[in-house]
Amino acid sequence: MRKALVIGSRGQIGIELLEMLQYKLGMDNVWGADIHETSTIPNNAGNYSQLNALDKEAMHQLVVEKGITEVYQLAALLSATGEKNPMYAWKLNMEGLLNILEIAKETKIKLFWPSSIAAFGPTTPLDETPQRTIMEPTSVYGISKQAGERWCEYYFLKYGVDVRSIRYPGLIGYKSAPGGGTTDYAVDIFYAAIEKGSYSCFLQPNTALPMMMMDDAIRATIELIEAPIENIQIRGAYNLAGVSFTPAQLANEIKKHIPTFEISYYDDFRQQLADSWPNSIDDTQAQKDWNWKINFPLETLVKTMLSEIKKRIS
Ligand code: AKB
């Protein structure tokens, strides 16, 4: 019997992953945990425990008490917030991972931990970035993801921990808000387009980045965790390509639905982060090992975001 725990269950990925796991495994078999007080969590969110990812004892107790068999450890500071508080980002991102790796070693649970395109750096080949390549990240978030990938592989090689990971592109969804990332513009733009008809973008028009609709990201996460163990050739993190576009290309696609939409651009520290990340990704290995394939190209992504956000606002 599978019993899942999502740590960081109130975050951008956590909210949607929790919902999908509840649908697949049943409400009783899924547990959410996050830093927020229990009294602030909606009644329909299912089982929930307040948890600090830095509190290893509490994490261990939760895993044992609830009979958890798989953990999704999503609690982290993202790239932009991380740059504002590098020491805390390092502490949370690394200790949060090492705590659960230790628990996985002791309890034999299966573990999912998210890496990111931020694990690459300015010396990485920018186009069709391969699975294995130069990785010299320059943000604290990217360094923590790169180090985290190595720790995941280490725990697999040394202790046999069944840990699996994805280098998520920028994630775009309508059910939950992003927080503190460089790719957040690609969510904010939809709300601004619908509510104001214009958007002021903190990245420059030709900044190409790999992105992915949240539905695809959640499906990828679950397909990876459910893939037969013998298929998993990568114990660092799998590349996922998603769909690559620039702010200007995204704005043009939005204009097909809202012809009066206007975009302008301003200078911001996040440009430097975006410039250090790939334009596009090669995910042949994920296709080969666990049959990965995206469902949401740019046109479908934009159509879905606009219609779902309109429904939510009205
Ligand atoms: C961020 O922008 O920090 C994240 C990421 C690319 O991991 N969305």
Side-chain angles (χ1 to χ4, degrees):
M1 162 77 83
R2 283 171 67 185
K3 284 208 170 220
L5 168 65
V6 178
I7 301 173
S9 63
R10 302 306 299 162
Q12 188 198 12
I13 305 172
I15 286 180
E16 297 213 24
L17 181 62
L18 192 84
E19 247 185 57
M20 183 52 80
L21 288 167
Q22 286 168 338
Y23 170 76
K24 280 186 76 86
L25 307 183
M27 289 300 270
D28 290 346
N29 297 319
V30 182
W31 216 271
D34 209 311
I35 195 79
H36 306 293
E37 274 184 25
T38 309
S39 60
T40 65
I41 307 303
N43 288 337
N44 61 358
N47 301 318
Y48 178 80
S49 293
Q50 184 180 11
L51 177 78
N52 181 341
L54 296 174
D55 186 345
K56 185 178 166 215
E57 279 317 302
M59 212 186 246
H60 188 252
Q61 202 180 335
L62 193 56
V63 167
V64 173
E65 253 177 25
K66 308 298 174 201
I68 299 297
T69 59
E70 63 198 54
V71 172
Y72 301 78
Q73 200 325 42
L74 310 175
L77 282 202
L78 296 191
S79 58
T81 322
E83 289 312 293
K84 291 183 185 154
N85 197 346
M87 285 305 111
Y88 181 63
W90 179 253
K91 187 175 170 64
L92 176 64
N93 294 5
M94 293 320 302
E95 269 181 43
L97 169 61
L98 288 168
N99 285 346
I100 196 67
L101 280 168
E102 275 293 300
I103 293 167
K105 180 179 98 181
E106 287 161 31
T107 59
K108 309 282 177 235
I109 49 162
K110 206 185 244 193
L111 177 60
F112 177 85
W113 171 82
S115 186
S116 158
I117 52 163
F120 298 114
T123 52
T124 299
L126 283 181
D127 296 307
E128 291 295 310
T129 302
Q131 176 67 45
R132 290 191 170 87
T133 186
I134 301 166
M135 296 174 82
E136 296 179 326
T138 47
S139 65
V140 67
Y141 174 66
I143 298 170
S144 73
K145 290 301 180 189
Q146 222 256 340
E149 288 190 15
R150 298 282 62 77
W151 276 116
C152 288
E153 190 180 58
Y154 181 86
Y155 270 75
F156 169 72
L157 294 173
K158 191 151 171 135
Y159 307 116
V161 171
D162 188 0
V163 51
R164 306 175 184 202
S165 179
I166 285 171
R167 290 176 185 144
Y168 285 130
L171 299 181
I172 302 175
Y174 52 85
K175 290 187 189 161
S176 53
T182 302
T183 58
D184 296 6
Y185 91 85
V187 176
D188 301 344
I189 193 171
F190 290 101
Y191 287 90
I194 293 167
E195 287 173 332
K196 295 193 292 188
S198 65
Y199 179 65
S200 180
C201 185
F202 58 77
L203 294 184
Q204 293 304 301
N206 296 326
T207 313
L209 286 172
M211 301 279 185
M212 180 176 275
M213 187 77 193
M214 188 61 88
D215 306 50
D216 274 339
I218 299 300
R219 186 170 52 82
T221 307
I222 290 177
E223 282 179 12
L224 174 60
I225 216 74
E226 289 180 349
I229 195 160
E230 59 278 10
N231 289 18
I232 308 300
Q233 300 303 313
I234 301 292
R235 293 296 181 162
Y238 277 95
N239 270 9
L240 284 195
V243 47
S244 285
F245 54 78
T246 65
Q249 287 166 334
L250 180 56
N252 282 340
E253 196 57 41
I254 292 174
K255 272 188 200 178
K256 291 184 188 163
H257 304 266
I258 308 175
T260 53
F261 174 64
E262 283 186 5
I263 185 164
S264 57
Y265 302 91
Y266 65 94
D267 292 334
D268 186 272
F269 77 99
R270 286 166 281 193
Q271 184 64 43
Q272 214 182 345
L273 294 168
D275 286 343
S276 75
W277 298 346
N279 297 332
S280 61
I281 299 280
D282 175 354
D283 65 7
T284 319
Q285 184 89 39
Q287 293 175 35
K288 188 164 118 302
D289 290 358
W290 42 281
N291 298 322
W292 171 245
K293 199 168 165 296
I294 65 157
N295 278 347
F296 285 80
L298 182 60
E299 304 75 46
T300 325
L301 183 153
V302 168
K303 219 159 76 187
T304 311
M305 284 297 283
L306 288 173
S307 72
E308 291 297 331
I309 293 172
K310 270 184 203 153
K311 272 190 234 159
R312 277 169 188 257
I313 288 176
S314 67

